[in-house]
Structure formats: structure tokens, C-alpha cells
Amino acid sequence: MARLQLKNVNKRWGSFVGVDNFDLDIADQEFLVLLGPSGCGKSTTMRMIAGLEDVTEGEIWLGDRMVNNLEPKDRDISMVFQSYGLYPNLSVYENIRFPLRVRKVPKEKHRDMVMKAIEMVELQDFMDRRPAELSGGQRQRVALGRAIVRKPTVFLMDEPLSNLDAKLRVSTRAQIKNLQSKLKTTTVYVTHDQIEAMTLADRVVVMNAGKIQQVGTPTEIYDTPANTFVASFIGSPAMNLVEGKLEKGVFQGDGIHVEGLPAGPSGNVTLGFRAEDAEIVEDQGQIAAPMYSIELLGEASMITWRLGGALVSIKTNKEYRAEIGDIVHARIPASICHLFDTASGERIDDR
């Protein structure tokens, strides 16, 4: 069983807090993604799981063992790095075989184990090549093969796609998802790319400034963000956020007026809504303001206004035409809106 538990884990360097009270239970065979901006503590959390960083406070459990004081080699964890970490003088076959040699797996088992890993990452035609003769995507697949060859209890993946171009990221992402489904191995994956998180994860942990902001399925994170940080970090484009005042269910901000919201809260709030949930209309909308920009995205057009200090965008059909500066109307139903406390950023649930 590869249940992984982090119990109130902290990491400090002097007065600087890198990870603050990280508490999480990761289920056996779960694909968990740590998501957040650079410096948020996600890679530090992964390195503590791997044993590459010491835990300042708290406990890390793998199955029924607390592993805080175990050396990395004794934790039965495989890690895939952003930089591939391949041996340039070894072939693909020997790079993938290397973990078996280090762990003194009987030699008679090597070929069968290595060939199974090579087949899983689809490198049969490249097994005699060296890393310099491979593309970036192929090198990353060698790194994946090396991680899976010895069937570890847990996979750790630290931004493994960040060195690949956009097309390779898409295909390698699909391969990672397929591999994890076949291997059924508990996986912790670190990224700053919210598209990777949303497409790969069973659950996403959104982090900022060393703290967990929200834990949930991709759908939960997207549909009900816990605060304005999560709302602004998840989605492409991010959720529109407009500050204003709410009184008796009526929100009023610069250039935007929405009625029919929950009557309970009042005062300064931040209104949020997704670009795809609102729509452009001919007149009588909740927004009526000069268009700031129009962008053709291929399958749709993106209309943007500047409302006070905020840029607000809505997707519409790709045939829509207007000129910058034209007054454009948008309908924003109260049912699609999210409310956040402006001071704290926390979600207001009153419906």
C-alpha cells in the first residue's frame, strides 16, 4: 500500500518559512498535483517527501512507516526531474537499467525489466542511442522509463515537461497520464502550469507562499475556488475579478451592475465570473462599456473591457466583430457569479 501522509509538515531556513503547516493525506494510487507559482513551496514539499530536504517539523508517512529519518535510497521512491538527469555516455537501455544496477537487482532479471519499461515509454527503436542523439521529448521518456523500471512505491515528478515545446508537452502529458493509469502507482507531480494540473490530476493542491490554499478535484478547484488567489490562478483566462459594493443582493462596481445576488452579505466584495459563462448581447447588459481589445482565439473571440482597475474578458463566437472603443454590452447572470470578501480574499458562500 502506497498511502502517503504529510502531517503538519514545516520547512524553515532561519526566519524564512518555505512550507507552512502542510497537512495532507494522499491515497494509494492517487495522482496528486502540487500547483502554484515559483517560490510557493511545492518543490520543497516534494524534496522533503524524497528525503532531499530535512523536515523542520512534522511527519511524513509512507504506508505504515514514518520516513523522516530514512535516506532517500531507503524510501522506495523514484523521482523524475525537470533536467532529465541522464548519463550522457550511456545508451537509452543502460540509462534505464542503471537503477537496477545500483540496487543490486539480480542481473538475470535486468533485461526483462528494462525491456518492459522501454516498451511502456515507446523507445524500442532508440534503445541503443545516447541522450545527445535524442529529442527533448525522447529524453524525458528515458527519464520516465528509468523511474518506472524498478516499480517504486511512489513516483515524484518535478516539472518534467517545462523544458519541452508546446506540442511535445501535450503528447508527453498524455503519455504520463496513460502510464500512471497502467502502473497504478501513487504519484505526486509538481507544476506551475495550471493546464497540466487540470488535465493530469485526480486532486490538485494549490499552494502560495508556503501554504495550502485549496485541495480538491480539478472540477472543484475550477468551479468553486476557495479564494481570489485560486480564482486568479486557475483557468485560461483566469476568473474575472471586479471589486465593488454589495447591498441587498445588488453589486455595483465600475462599469458593472449585477442584481439577484445573495442578499445576506453586504459591503465591499469582489465579484468573480468566468469568461465562458457570460455572453455578449446587443443591449441591456450588466456591462455596457467601451471595448478595450478583441482577440481571435481560433474557436472563439475574446472581448476585453477595462472596468476601473480591472481587465474583464468574455468569450464570444469567432465571427463577432467590433472596433476598439465601441460600446459593447454583456449579460452576466447572477447564477454564474462568485463572491469573495475583498479584505481577506476568502470565498463568501451564502446561497
Side-chain angles (χ1 to χ4, degrees):
M1 178 179 175
R3 180 186 181 192
L4 181 61
Q5 295 173 280
L6 288 84
K7 300 181 179 181
N8 306 113
V9 170
N10 293 269
K11 179 62 180 178
R12 293 192 298 271
W13 294 273
S15 61
F16 177 76
V17 179
V19 177
D20 188 0
N21 199 35
F22 193 103
D23 193 80
L24 189 67
D25 194 336
I26 304 167
D28 182 33
Q29 303 182 19
E30 182 173 15
F31 196 125
L32 184 95
V33 175
L34 303 180
L35 173 68
S38 297
C40 72
K42 57 189 186 296
S43 289
T44 300
T45 301
M46 174 172 283
R47 289 174 64 83
M48 286 190 289
I49 295 170
L52 302 176
E53 292 280 359
D54 292 331
V55 175
T56 305
E57 293 170 351
E59 298 175 354
I60 298 176
W61 287 75
L62 182 53
D64 58 0
R65 294 189 305 163
M66 189 176 77
V67 299
N68 289 45
N69 298 320
L70 292 183
E71 293 293 322
K73 64 183 178 64
D74 298 323
R75 298 192 183 197
D76 195 21
I77 287 172
S78 277
M79 192 163 181
V80 179
F81 295 93
Q82 173 183 346
S83 59
Y84 315 139
L86 304 180
Y87 295 102
N89 59 322
L90 298 182
S91 67
V92 167
Y93 181 94
E94 290 298 335
N95 262 287
I96 293 177
R97 180 187 173 211
F98 192 80
L100 305 180
R101 293 169 55 192
V102 170
R103 290 182 167 264
K104 296 181 170 51
V105 174
K107 286 185 179 180
E108 60 270 20
K109 295 184 178 180
H110 286 198
R111 182 158 185 84
D112 183 54
M113 294 175 73
V114 173
M115 290 308 299
K116 283 181 180 177
I118 285 176
E119 288 171 12
M120 292 194 81
V121 295
E122 300 175 11
L123 287 172
Q124 298 94 316
D125 295 336
F126 304 92
M127 57 190 286
D128 295 323
R129 295 191 188 183
R130 295 188 177 185
E133 302 173 281
L134 303 175
S135 69
Q138 289 163 348
R139 291 178 197 173
Q140 192 56 272
R141 282 151 60 192
V142 176
L144 286 169
R146 189 175 58 187
I148 68 178
V149 69
R150 62 180 185 83
K151 300 179 181 177
T153 304
V154 174
F155 286 135
L156 303 180
M157 299 188 184
D158 192 3
E159 307 217 31
L161 307 185
S162 59
N163 287 338
L164 306 181
D165 62 38
K167 185 176 180 180
L168 273 176
R169 279 202 301 272
V170 172
S171 59
T172 309
R173 192 170 69 212
Q175 189 169 40
I176 288 173
K177 185 69 172 179
N178 182 265
L179 273 174
Q180 199 270 344
S181 174
K182 289 178 179 177
L183 294 167
K184 301 189 184 303
T185 302
T186 306
T187 302
V188 180
Y189 185 106
V190 161
T191 184
H192 63 274
D193 186 326
Q194 52 97 10
I195 295 176
E196 283 181 31
M198 299 294 281
T199 53
L200 288 172
D202 295 323
R203 281 193 304 161
V204 179
V205 179
V206 184
M207 296 182 67
N208 188 39
K211 294 183 177 182
I212 294 176
Q213 301 295 310
Q214 187 172 0
V215 181
T217 66
T219 300
E220 290 167 347
I221 296 284
Y222 189 84
D223 289 346
T224 54
N227 52 45
T228 51
F229 174 81
V230 176
S232 64
F233 198 79
I234 298 293
S236 182
M239 181 178 286
N240 295 302
L241 297 171
V242 184
E243 295 183 5
K245 287 190 176 295
L246 183 67
E247 295 292 341
K248 297 180 179 178
V250 179
F251 175 84
Q252 183 66 53
D254 287 334
I256 181 170
H257 179 92
V258 181
E259 300 180 1
L261 295 163
S266 62
N268 295 328
V269 301
T270 298
L271 182 83
F273 62 93
R274 296 283 182 194
E276 65 272 22
D277 291 337
E279 63 177 331
I280 303 298
V281 292
E282 291 295 325
D283 54 25
Q284 301 297 315
Q286 280 69 41
I287 294 176
M291 187 176 71
Y292 183 77
S293 73
I294 180 170
E295 302 167 84
L296 180 61
L297 305 179
E299 82 288 358
S301 291
M302 185 80 75
I303 309 300
T304 301
W305 300 261
R306 181 178 286 281
L307 304 180
L311 290 176
V312 173
S313 300
I314 289 176
K315 285 184 179 179
T316 189
N317 66 74
K318 61 184 179 182
E319 290 81 19
Y320 183 83
R321 296 291 181 268
E323 298 294 327
I324 290 175
D326 289 353
I327 300 298
V328 176
H329 299 255
R331 186 172 75 88
I332 307 168
S335 60
I336 70 162
C337 293
H338 306 254
L339 295 175
F340 304 92
D341 182 89
T342 299
S344 68
E346 294 301 309
R347 182 180 187 85
I348 298 170
D349 280 315
D350 189 34
R351 56 176 74 192

